[in-house]
Amino acid sequence: VAQGLLRYRSSLQHRQFTMGRMHSKGKGISRSSKPYRRSAPSWLKVSSGEVVDQITKMAKKGLTPSQIGVTLRDSHGISQVKSVTGSKILRILKAQGLNPTVPEDLYCLIKKAVAVRKHLERNRKDCDSKFRLILIESRVHRLGRYYKKAGKLAPNWKYESATASAIVQ
């Protein structure tokens, strides 16, 4: 009986802290798990300086931090940059002065809003897309408010649909 109660309590705690989606029903809890060991694998023969050089080269080509991470994982066998270098990709880019002006998740939302707006110019009667654009832009505003409060965006930064396509290039 005690084990059943414990299991029930842990499932309740998990449900309390799972945050739902903003504009849909899902409460998705599936995610990939990080490796247990936080040290670099013994078979990896790459120094931290070489990894930092690769990161800066990719950033100069115009890749986003997540694209850099995927490339390092798939092509170079570096599963976690932090285990090799001691700091995360975005912090390395910030130290090199190559960090993006707009955070990546906000950038992707703006890019999506620009694509939907472009679609609406061609298909004016698409009411579902009009509604989805409103939802996307409300997420952009909310995320912008958060990043301004966190100090990652300038206090006078404002999302405007007319100038959004200039941000996404």
Side-chain angles (χ1 to χ4, degrees):
V1 177
Q3 274 188 327
L5 185 63
L6 245 151
R7 215 175 295 133
Y8 176 71
R9 274 191 179 162
S10 65
S11 68
L12 277 181
Q13 283 177 334
H14 183 71
R15 281 194 202 129
Q16 271 180 331
F17 298 116
T18 46
M19 187 173 170
R21 298 276 165 265
M22 211 171 135
H23 296 120
S24 63
K25 294 178 187 174
K27 284 202 181 356
I29 59 166
S30 65
R31 56 186 162 267
S32 60
S33 56
K34 288 189 176 180
Y36 179 71
R37 291 186 345 147
R38 292 203 174 109
S39 59
S42 57
W43 48 264
L44 191 65
K45 304 295 181 208
V46 183
S47 69
S48 65
E50 292 172 10
V51 174
V52 170
D53 290 339
Q54 287 176 338
I55 290 171
T56 52
K57 279 180 192 171
M58 287 186 229
K60 285 177 182 173
K61 284 182 187 174
L63 271 68
T64 62
S66 62
Q67 289 172 330
I68 292 171
V70 168
T71 307
L72 287 174
R73 184 196 66 203
D74 296 343
S75 303
H76 304 284
I78 301 166
S79 60
Q80 293 289 312
V81 171
K82 189 177 179 186
S83 67
V84 178
T85 61
S87 57
K88 298 179 180 184
I89 294 174
L90 197 59
R91 291 194 179 143
I92 292 169
L93 292 178
K94 202 174 280 188
Q96 302 285 333
L98 295 168
N99 59 323
T101 53
V102 177
E104 190 176 353
D105 52 352
L106 182 61
Y107 176 81
C108 288
L109 277 176
I110 293 172
K111 191 174 173 182
K112 188 184 281 191
V114 167
V116 172
R117 198 168 282 282
K118 187 177 175 185
H119 167 79
L120 279 171
E121 285 174 9
R122 285 178 279 127
N123 308 292
R124 292 215 179 270
K125 289 189 175 182
D126 191 354
C127 293
D128 186 57
S129 289
K130 285 180 190 175
F131 176 69
R132 296 294 162 202
L133 179 66
I134 292 167
L135 297 183
I136 292 166
E137 287 186 339
S138 71
R139 275 181 284 186
V140 168
H141 290 300
R142 179 182 281 199
L143 208 52
R145 207 168 44 237
Y146 164 76
Y147 280 126
K148 277 195 259 183
K149 200 179 286 182
K152 296 219 167 52
L153 279 177
N156 60 349
W157 186 89
K158 192 173 184 187
Y159 171 78
E160 292 169 357
S161 56
T163 60
S165 58
I167 296 171
V168 182
Q169 288 295 335

